[in-house]
């Protein structure tokens, strides 16, 4: 299984671009600002249905164009499946349209129909925010990972987030005196039901990664601490007055935190840049193996110019994990490109 062909139309800096990939390592080589990361973004979009960096969908559309397209041929043993994602600014030829459209073999589908078809793990320098950034970054890491391999989780986190937005609006209305507290009853039930699923599956994920670390000589001193914000009827009752006062929900999985420690030190506060990068690599290894064990498919690895961030020991760990998987690597360094002896190379000019 893997991506055989990728075609971009009016996507980022590409007016038209078509690339064929090999089964193993594929090296995308070129100077900075040539669009290497844009290619990885397109592959990620095909796999996840969203970008790993665009804050707004229209950012992915080439300047001056109304509609961007990414199309990929995915090999499934002897079968080929075509996946296409279209992105726009919400308006085409004067008509309001959805900002994203997903097609599988030419048939319009939902985003969650894409999840798990081509499981993907991306590793880039900016991922140091997994350790040094806010709790929201780590929650999104868990959400994207779990949603690729667990449809129940994807449904629960989606329902939870929708219910949370609606409940917060009701809290605002209660504060303004336009509705009573009884208006919260339905949304409370949804949050408790689906929040419980989210918390349980996040806890299982963290336990899996910790067990993996314990077996690894390289990462044995790293441990994840899952600090769940439990949600229940009693907890919502406990904070009912405070929630009305601030106008949003104070407990639940949207308040969860994951602490990353190395020998009891919180790496977000006390870790050096090198230690934080090591922890990110450890998390990515956990992501790869969890996806492959639960999803029963090899993960597609996207490595975005990461080798300048790693020492020789951790470079070797990355090289080891690329074996037996389809990998797309971007680099502007000839020495890094030469590390992959049998790679298919694409030069961007």
């Amino acid at each position: 299984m893997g991506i055989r062909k990728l075609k971009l139309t009016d996507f980022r800096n590409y007016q038209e671009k078509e690339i064929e990939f090999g089964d193993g390592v594929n090296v995308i080589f070129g100077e900075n600002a040539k669009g290497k990361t844009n290619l990885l973004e397109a592959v990620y979009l095909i796999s996840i249905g969203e970008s790993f960096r665009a804050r707004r969908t229209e950012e992915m559309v080439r300047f001056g164009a109304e509609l961007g397209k990414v199309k990929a041929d995915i090999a499934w043993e002897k079968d080929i499946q075509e996946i296409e994602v279209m992105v726009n600014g919400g308006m085409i030829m004067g008509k309001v349209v959805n900002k994203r459209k997903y097609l599988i073999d030419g048939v319009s589908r939902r985003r969650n129909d894409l999840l798990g078809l081509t499981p993907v793990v991306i590793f880039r320098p900016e991922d140091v925010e997994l350790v040094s950034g806010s709790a929201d970054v780590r929650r999104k890491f868990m959400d994207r990972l779990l949603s690729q391999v667990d449809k129940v989780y994807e449904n629960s986190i989606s329902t939870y987030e929708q219910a949370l937005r609606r409940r917060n609006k009701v809290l605002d209305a209660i504060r303004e005196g336009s509705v009573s507290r009884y208006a919260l009853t339905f949304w409370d039930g949804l949050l408790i039901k689906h929040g419980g699923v989210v918390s349980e599956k996040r806890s299982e994920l963290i336990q899996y990664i910790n067990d993996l670390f314990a077996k690894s000589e390289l990462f044995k001193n790293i441990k994840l601490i899952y600090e769940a914000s439990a949600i229940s009827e009693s907890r919502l009752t406990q904070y009912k007055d405070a929630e009305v006062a601030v106008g949003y929900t104070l407990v639940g999985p949207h308040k969860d935190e994951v602490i990353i420690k190395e020998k009891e030190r919180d790496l977000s506060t006390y870790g050096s840049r090198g230690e934080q990068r090591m922890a990110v690599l450890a998390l990515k290894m956990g992501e790869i193996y969890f996806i492959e064990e639960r999803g029963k498919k090899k993960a597609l690895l996207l490595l975005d110019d990461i080798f300048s961030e790693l020492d020789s020991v951790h470079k070797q760990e990355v090289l080891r994990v690329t074996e037996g998987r389809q990998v797309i690597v971007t680099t502007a360094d000839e020495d890094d490109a030469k590390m992959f002896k049998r790679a298919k190379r694409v030069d961007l000019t």
Side-chain angles (χ1 to χ4, degrees):
M1 187 203 80
I3 292 183
R4 291 292 168 261
K5 185 186 295 184
L6 182 72
K7 182 178 180 180
L8 311 182
T9 304
D10 290 330
F11 183 85
R12 290 289 187 179
N13 66 313
Y14 294 102
Q15 184 174 7
E16 289 281 347
K17 184 70 174 180
E18 187 170 302
I19 297 177
E20 293 188 0
F21 295 107
D23 292 333
V25 177
N26 299 267
V27 175
I28 309 297
F29 185 86
E31 297 175 358
N32 292 334
K34 291 296 184 181
K36 300 188 299 296
T37 300
N38 295 344
L39 289 175
L40 295 192
E41 182 181 24
V43 173
Y44 193 88
L45 182 66
I46 283 290
S47 302
I48 300 292
E50 62 183 29
S51 169
F52 57 75
R53 59 177 178 159
R55 293 185 178 181
R56 298 178 300 171
T57 299
E58 52 266 37
E59 293 175 15
M60 292 182 275
V61 182
R62 188 175 66 89
F63 181 77
E66 281 192 317
L67 177 69
K69 298 180 182 179
V70 178
K71 184 184 293 185
D73 290 342
I74 312 296
W76 297 85
E77 296 180 351
K78 296 181 180 179
D79 297 325
I80 298 292
Q81 189 171 48
E82 182 185 89
I83 299 177
E84 184 174 10
V85 180
M86 301 180 186
V87 292
N88 65 84
M91 186 81 70
I92 296 179
M93 298 181 67
K95 294 184 178 180
V96 176
V97 296
N98 291 331
K99 289 190 174 184
R100 300 179 198 173
K101 185 175 182 180
Y102 310 101
L103 298 98
I104 300 177
D105 291 332
V107 179
S108 182
R109 306 296 290 269
R110 300 171 302 167
R111 173 181 170 260
N112 62 2
D113 293 321
L114 267 63
L115 296 172
L117 293 182
T118 52
V120 65
V121 173
I122 186 167
F123 187 13
R124 57 199 189 109
E126 293 87 346
D127 285 332
V128 73
E129 290 185 4
L130 280 171
V131 180
S132 62
S134 68
D136 185 56
V137 177
R138 290 178 284 280
R139 289 192 293 268
K140 287 180 178 176
F141 167 79
M142 293 188 287
D143 291 343
R144 288 178 173 177
L145 195 170
L146 285 162
S147 292
Q148 289 195 74
V149 297
D150 192 326
K151 294 294 186 184
V152 173
Y153 184 88
E154 198 282 329
N155 176 68
S156 283
I157 189 63
S158 178
T159 303
Y160 180 88
E161 289 176 344
Q162 292 175 31
L164 181 64
R165 288 191 291 270
R166 296 296 296 272
R167 186 179 190 272
N168 287 345
K169 289 181 179 179
V170 173
L171 286 169
D172 264 339
I174 293 172
R175 182 172 56 180
E176 294 169 359
S178 57
V179 300
S180 72
R181 288 183 181 272
Y182 291 109
L184 291 173
T185 304
F186 175 75
W187 305 113
D188 287 357
L190 275 183
L191 288 189
I192 292 168
K193 176 183 177 181
H194 292 282
V197 174
V198 169
S199 296
E200 179 182 355
K201 291 185 177 292
R202 284 180 178 177
S203 179
E204 290 174 359
L205 168 63
I206 297 303
Q207 186 60 56
Y208 176 94
I209 294 178
N210 278 332
D211 290 344
L212 197 67
F213 289 170
K215 299 172 186 176
S216 167
E217 187 63 31
L218 197 57
F219 306 125
K220 65 182 181 181
N221 293 324
I222 298 177
K223 187 174 183 179
L224 308 182
I225 309 298
Y226 177 45
E227 296 184 347
S229 177
I231 188 165
S232 63
E233 187 175 349
S234 61
R235 287 265 286 169
L236 290 175
T237 299
Q238 179 184 353
Y239 289 93
K240 64 179 183 179
D241 293 332
E243 287 184 334
V244 171
V246 297
Y248 56 86
T249 307
L250 293 172
V251 297
H254 63 290
K255 295 291 186 180
D256 283 357
E257 170 64 292
V258 176
I259 307 298
I260 304 170
K261 292 189 174 184
E262 194 269 337
K263 290 185 177 179
E264 301 306 316
R265 287 185 307 135
D266 183 343
L267 291 180
S268 67
T269 304
Y270 301 106
S272 67
R273 187 76 172 180
E275 288 172 325
Q276 290 177 348
R277 286 197 295 266
M278 176 191 66
V280 170
L281 178 58
L283 284 171
K284 291 297 176 178
M285 294 301 170
E287 185 176 4
I288 291 167
Y289 291 118
F290 185 86
I291 283 176
E292 293 184 345
E293 182 175 312
R294 299 298 172 91
K296 308 299 181 185
K297 296 177 183 177
K298 287 288 186 180
L300 167 61
L301 306 188
L302 307 179
L303 310 180
D304 190 18
D305 197 20
I306 65 168
F307 292 101
S308 61
E309 299 282 321
L310 301 173
D311 59 28
S312 59
V313 172
H314 295 98
K315 281 184 181 180
Q316 288 303 312
E317 180 67 7
V318 172
L319 291 175
R320 182 191 66 78
V321 83
T322 62
E323 296 176 4
R325 297 176 176 86
Q326 187 179 39
V327 184
I328 304 176
V329 183
T330 68
T331 185
D333 190 300
E334 194 67 57
D335 291 335
D336 288 345
K338 289 178 179 177
M339 289 192 298
F340 301 96
K341 306 297 183 184
R342 297 179 297 276
K344 179 174 181 177
R345 176 163 165 160
V346 177
D347 288 283
L348 301 181
T349 56

